[in-house]
Amino acid sequence: MTFRHRHLLGIEPLSPDEIATILDLAGTYVDLNRSAEKHAPALAGLTQINMFFENSTRTQASFEIAGQRLGADVMNMAMQASSIKKGETLIDTALTLNAMHPDLLVVRHPQSGAVDLLAQKVNAAVLNAGDGRHEHPTQALLDALTIRRAKGRLHRLTVAICGDIAHSRVARSNIWLLGKMESRIRLVGPPTLIPSGAAEWGVEVEHDMARGLADADVVMMLRLQRERMDGGFIPSEREYYHRYGLDAEKLSCAKPDAIVMHPGPMNRGVEIDGTIADDINRSVIQEQVEMGVAVRMAAMDLLARNLRAAASA
Amino acid sequence: MDLIFRDARLIDPERAEERRGDLFVSGGVVVDVPPPDADIVECRGKCLAPGIVDLGVKVSEPGERHKESFRSAGRAAARGGVTTIVTRPDTEPAIDTPEVLEFVARRAQADAAVNVLPMAALTKGRQGREMVEIGFLMDAGAVAFTDCDRVVEDTRVLSRALTYARGLDALVVGHVQEPGLSRGAAATSGKFASLYGLPAVSPMAERMGLDRDISLLEMTGARYHVDQLTSARALPALDRAKRNGLDLTAGVGIHHLTLNELDVAGYRTFFKVKPPLRSEEDRLAVIEAVAGGLIDIVCSMHTPQDEESKRLPFEEAASGAVGLETLLPAAMRLVHAGHLELPALWRALSLNPARRLGLAAGRLAAGAPADLVLFDPDAPFVLDRAALASKSKNTPFDGARMEGRVLGTWVGGARVH
């Protein structure tokens, strides 16, 4: 079992072995979470602080439950309402928190690279819960665990990632992860929502859903932010739904056993048809949420082991 | 002070040659015959060249003296072989009235060890709405007019300012960027910026800005210098405009000649400059343009920023890097890599900027001011940013191995370093 990192800042620095290590451990936590007694002592005595500089309900709740099930003292700080409004810099906030000796810091920030910056200034293990458009590693890990459980493997799959790739950290982390696991990645969306230079990432780029979904094992839909729909990136919500919204007809281009994923929260009728999202034979969206807790437990457990090893060394 | 520089490797950009020999200085200027009773400077075959004329240096006076003062900038310049700094007006407040300019000139005169020539803003407050008092500011000593990194977006405002400037034969220095495309950008678009998730701009925005300004020059006939041209696809437009006889020159900052977009990896804000660092292909094309003379001027784009403004998430962090002290050793990388010879480099560092500003500097001929730098082009060192004379230490070269050490700097025949 190898996992040699102090922080979990992104998928980019992880090796395939390390990714497998996290997923294997997460698998055991899935079983724990499904049992009646959901507690394990892996983080007992440790303090976990969730710092969200950007709104989040789901991810924050997931990290909170993960920490509590492993026995950590969990504290949530709504950073938007706090000192950041008073002009304190990110680094000062980090140093202030650092003085309280947290062991695990879970951080979400609207700017790319901000979590890396913060990690340089604190002693705690930092988990990136999403930084700007850069990375959202636990989302990619929970997606990978979901895929692995549904398909039995992560290699040699064709995965179509559809929608607003340009503004999506989920897409970037998934591209890193699936690339490392040697799956074939297809980015599908209107050209305005495909980041420039994406074709040089070792992925295929398609602007047509039928071609993009052809023979896909996994169809990963991304959330389209409301503020992108004002005619700036796409002409209208209805044109987007017509061309890129996932409905039964478009899904029929994928393999018959293809699974449908979405990181949530969904815009039903914008990027995904409600009946697809609710189809228990195709959609694994609820399972993704479940895997999220397990993956976060595994990631925090591994980081805490490294923390303890470093402290006793 | 009369001087004899004995046995130097003389770098003469005017004659586009280097030769081994002596150089004589009397009364603050270069002379043909050895003056009697002169002090001897033994050069032992090291390089002696005209001092660098650095066009576009930010000294943070008035307003932010904690970032850089005339005293600290002057010291940094002397240590870097820069004998003339041409200062930018993007201070707080902007240098846009004769009164502020006179204050700056007085402070520079009192504190700086090297020649300081101030530029003034082109529009009031650098707001791009009304032109400044170009005539009064010239009388007060402004050598050029620029809104620095702010593009005058209103084309009518710029065309009138250029027309008025032409009437006074004033030099206008512009920043070429299409403002809509480049709004909010922190990196150059492409696979790397996209991977890092940074808002980015295509280098094509630079060409669009250049194309607009070239059209305005055809309309107005103004004297115009592009502060920094950093992308391959802007170069043919520059070449055409020059061939068409427009009074147009272009410069580039040293960081765009020595670094590329990959250096931004890890969100290192000391590598955040404006325009953002480009691809390796752009870097090489721009070096070639400097070597061939299409790009006229190489400068440091010295921009002091304190730690607070750099220790922020990349998008929020301030742009710019200090460069007065590192310009010469960084430029030596181009020589050591075989991109260009020392006389051609000094044409861009010294002769061309001096000519563009109507100065007699930049030459070694008799009558030229004895603004000189003696340096060892091969002496290796590791840069320690804490040792910089600038008050701000925001250099991208911290910890870098460099070659090229300044051994002595003279301004008007007086040793300043």
Side-chain angles (χ1 to χ4, degrees):
Chain A
M1 190 130 105
T2 52
F3 184 79
R4 298 186 189 284
H5 297 271
R6 219 185 110 199
H7 307 295
L8 180 64
L9 298 176
I11 299 295
E12 181 182 1
L14 303 184
S15 69
D17 273 356
E18 288 169 328
I19 291 167
T21 298
I22 300 174
L23 298 184
D24 292 345
L25 181 58
T28 68
Y29 283 128
V30 173
D31 298 337
L32 178 76
N33 288 336
R34 286 179 179 178
S35 66
E37 173 57 57
K38 299 181 175 57
H39 283 271
L43 303 181
L46 301 186
T47 303
Q48 170 192 343
I49 301 184
N50 297 333
M51 299 170 73
F52 280 66
F53 294 89
E54 196 180 74
N55 268 331
S56 162
T57 315
R58 309 155 61 98
T59 306
Q60 186 171 331
S62 181
F63 270 109
E64 187 174 354
I65 291 171
Q68 285 179 349
R69 290 204 176 142
L70 293 181
D73 298 314
V74 186
M75 194 193 136
N76 289 315
M77 292 187 68
M79 299 310 296
Q80 288 166 308
S82 99
S83 50
I84 213 80
K85 286 255 156 57
K86 297 174 193 157
E88 190 178 56
T89 66
L90 178 63
I91 286 180
D92 285 333
T93 306
L95 293 176
T96 302
L97 277 177
N98 195 48
M100 302 178 195
H101 299 291
D103 303 287
L104 296 156
L105 277 180
V106 178
V107 187
R108 170 171 287 189
H109 196 282
Q111 298 214 356
S112 304
V115 181
D116 296 50
L117 177 69
L118 189 142
Q120 292 163 23
K121 307 292 173 185
V122 297
N123 302 319
V126 176
L127 289 100
N128 181 359
D131 64 320
R133 312 169 185 181
H134 177 221
E135 283 233 43
H136 189 356
T138 56
Q139 178 71 43
L141 289 165
L142 75 88
D143 288 341
L145 185 59
T146 309
I147 295 170
R148 201 171 76 168
R149 290 168 69 97
K151 295 286 163 196
R153 65 178 199 275
L154 282 170
H155 59 276
R156 286 192 291 111
L157 294 170
T158 299
V159 181
I161 305 177
C162 310
D164 184 1
I165 318 284
H167 301 96
S168 174
R169 53 196 173 214
V170 174
R172 283 172 180 73
S173 285
N174 266 309
I175 291 165
W176 278 117
L177 192 149
L178 294 165
K180 285 174 192 280
M181 293 307 184
E182 296 178 10
S183 270
R184 179 174 171 191
I185 303 161
R186 232 181 255 149
L187 306 182
V188 192
T192 45
L193 295 177
I194 301 287
S196 83
E200 297 165 59
W201 289 351
V203 300
E204 299 162 36
V205 174
E206 287 288 355
H207 303 307
D208 174 84
M209 280 291 269
R211 277 207 303 276
L213 264 51
D215 295 322
D217 298 288
V218 177
V219 179
M220 203 180 269
M221 302 306 297
L222 296 172
R223 174 180 166 76
L224 184 69
Q225 309 265 339
R226 291 260 159 203
E227 59 266 28
R228 318 278 184 227
M229 302 177 199
D230 59 1
F233 289 88
I234 54 167
S236 72
E237 198 175 304
R238 61 181 190 178
E239 179 160 325
Y240 185 80
Y241 182 65
H242 177 71
R243 293 182 53 77
Y244 295 101
L246 186 67
D247 53 21
E249 191 191 329
K250 295 191 189 95
L251 185 57
S252 69
C253 302
K255 282 193 183 148
D257 63 346
I259 56 169
V260 175
M261 307 178 75
H262 193 296
M266 282 182 282
N267 297 306
R268 287 170 187 262
V270 178
E271 70 258 354
I272 190 163
D273 183 277
T275 55
I276 301 275
D278 298 333
D279 179 351
I280 52 166
N281 295 315
R282 307 305 293 271
S283 163
V284 293
I285 294 170
Q286 295 308 315
E287 177 150 354
Q288 285 176 275
V289 178
E290 183 189 359
M291 295 306 121
V293 176
V295 150
R296 286 165 184 133
M297 290 165 81
M300 290 196 288
D301 183 355
L302 289 167
L303 289 173
R305 292 181 203 185
N306 290 353
L307 267 184
R308 289 190 168 115
S312 62
Chain B
M1 176 81 65
D2 294 349
L3 296 166
I4 294 173
F5 291 89
R6 183 175 289 160
D7 189 27
R9 182 177 159 196
L10 296 164
I11 311 300
D12 189 338
E14 192 178 26
R15 296 165 62 171
E17 63 169 32
E18 53 174 276
R19 62 181 185 278
R20 199 72 178 253
D22 301 342
L23 188 86
F24 313 122
V25 168
S26 179
V29 297
V30 176
V31 293
D32 277 333
V33 291
D37 307 322
D39 285 355
I40 310 268
V41 180
E42 293 291 352
C43 299
R44 297 188 175 86
K46 300 301 183 203
C47 294
L48 185 67
I52 295 169
V53 179
D54 195 357
L55 200 162
V57 172
K58 169 126 181 222
V59 178
S60 308
E61 288 192 59
E64 296 175 304
R65 241 163 102 178
H66 68 286
K67 291 187 179 178
E68 192 81 293
S69 65
F70 280 105
R71 186 180 300 278
S72 61
R75 220 167 30 234
R79 286 169 59 165
V82 175
T83 50
T84 299
I85 57 181
V86 183
T87 59
R88 303 206 309 253
D90 52 344
T91 46
E92 281 297 331
I95 300 167
D96 60 357
T97 63
E99 291 75 13
V100 180
L101 190 90
E102 277 162 13
F103 164 81
V104 165
R106 248 195 335 272
R107 298 271 312 125
Q109 182 73 31
D111 280 0
V114 301
N115 304 311
V116 177
L117 299 172
M119 295 192 284
L122 181 64
T123 66
K124 290 173 187 166
R126 301 197 298 130
Q127 296 292 318
R129 286 197 283 270
E130 302 163 61
M131 72 177 92
V132 298
E133 294 170 314
I134 295 177
F136 278 149
L137 281 158
M138 287 180 82
D139 293 344
V143 296
F145 296 84
T146 179
D147 279 356
C148 301
D149 62 356
R150 287 199 198 150
V151 174
V152 180
E153 294 191 28
D154 187 327
T155 306
R156 184 150 64 177
V157 171
L158 183 56
S159 79
R160 285 184 182 153
L162 288 170
T163 303
Y164 192 86
R166 190 208 49 199
L168 293 165
D169 211 22
L171 178 67
V172 174
V173 178
H175 184 73
V176 292
Q177 275 290 313
E178 205 291 310
L181 275 183
S182 54
R183 191 166 299 132
T188 298
S189 64
K191 69 172 183 178
F192 299 106
S194 292
L195 269 184
Y196 307 141
L198 292 173
V201 60
S202 164
M204 199 59 100
E206 182 173 285
R207 192 178 93 192
M208 288 182 203
L210 178 65
D211 283 340
R212 179 196 74 158
D213 289 4
I214 286 172
S215 305
L216 286 171
L217 296 183
E218 281 189 34
M219 269 171 64
T220 62
R223 296 178 61 212
Y224 190 84
H225 173 71
V226 177
D227 64 346
Q228 306 177 74
L229 214 58
T230 61
S231 59
R233 292 165 94 168
L235 296 172
L238 174 68
D239 189 35
R240 266 196 313 277
K242 283 186 158 190
R243 284 176 202 280
N244 287 343
L246 297 182
D247 191 351
L248 172 65
T249 51
V252 63
I254 189 66
H255 298 117
H256 288 89
L257 295 175
T258 49
L259 305 169
N260 70 25
E261 59 185 352
L262 297 181
D263 289 303
V264 173
Y267 302 100
R268 294 189 290 174
T269 57
F270 279 19
F271 291 82
K272 184 178 180 185
V273 293
K274 202 171 172 187
L277 291 174
R278 304 301 195 190
S279 68
E280 181 65 2
E281 293 75 33
D282 279 329
R283 185 183 80 91
L284 292 173
V286 171
I287 290 173
E288 201 181 310
V290 172
L294 176 58
I295 289 184
D296 306 87
I297 291 171
V298 170
C299 59
S300 72
M301 284 312 289
H302 183 80
T303 304
Q305 299 288 5
D306 55 19
E307 301 288 305
E308 282 65 44
S309 53
K310 283 287 188 185
R311 285 172 55 184
L312 291 169
F314 197 86
E315 275 178 64
E316 277 173 38
S319 296
V322 291
L324 279 169
E325 259 173 276
T326 46
L327 174 56
L328 186 145
M332 294 317 298
R333 287 185 173 180
L334 307 178
V335 175
H336 292 308
H339 292 302
L340 71 178
E341 303 286 329
L342 282 169
L345 177 62
W346 247 261
R347 178 184 68 203
L349 285 174
S350 183
L351 177 65
N352 282 345
R355 276 189 175 153
R356 193 57 170 147
L357 297 168
L359 310 175
R363 302 173 303 135
L364 294 179
D371 296 348
L372 299 164
V373 54
L374 179 68
F375 65 98
D376 180 343
D378 303 314
F381 67 100
V382 174
L383 189 94
D384 172 11
R385 71 187 187 107
L388 292 176
S390 281
K391 286 190 178 182
S392 294
K393 315 292 185 190
N394 55 308
T395 173
F397 295 117
D398 186 38
R401 290 168 201 279
M402 306 190 94
E403 289 172 88
R405 252 195 189 294
V406 174
L407 305 171
T409 306
W410 289 261
V411 174
R415 186 157 192 167
V416 295
H417 170 69

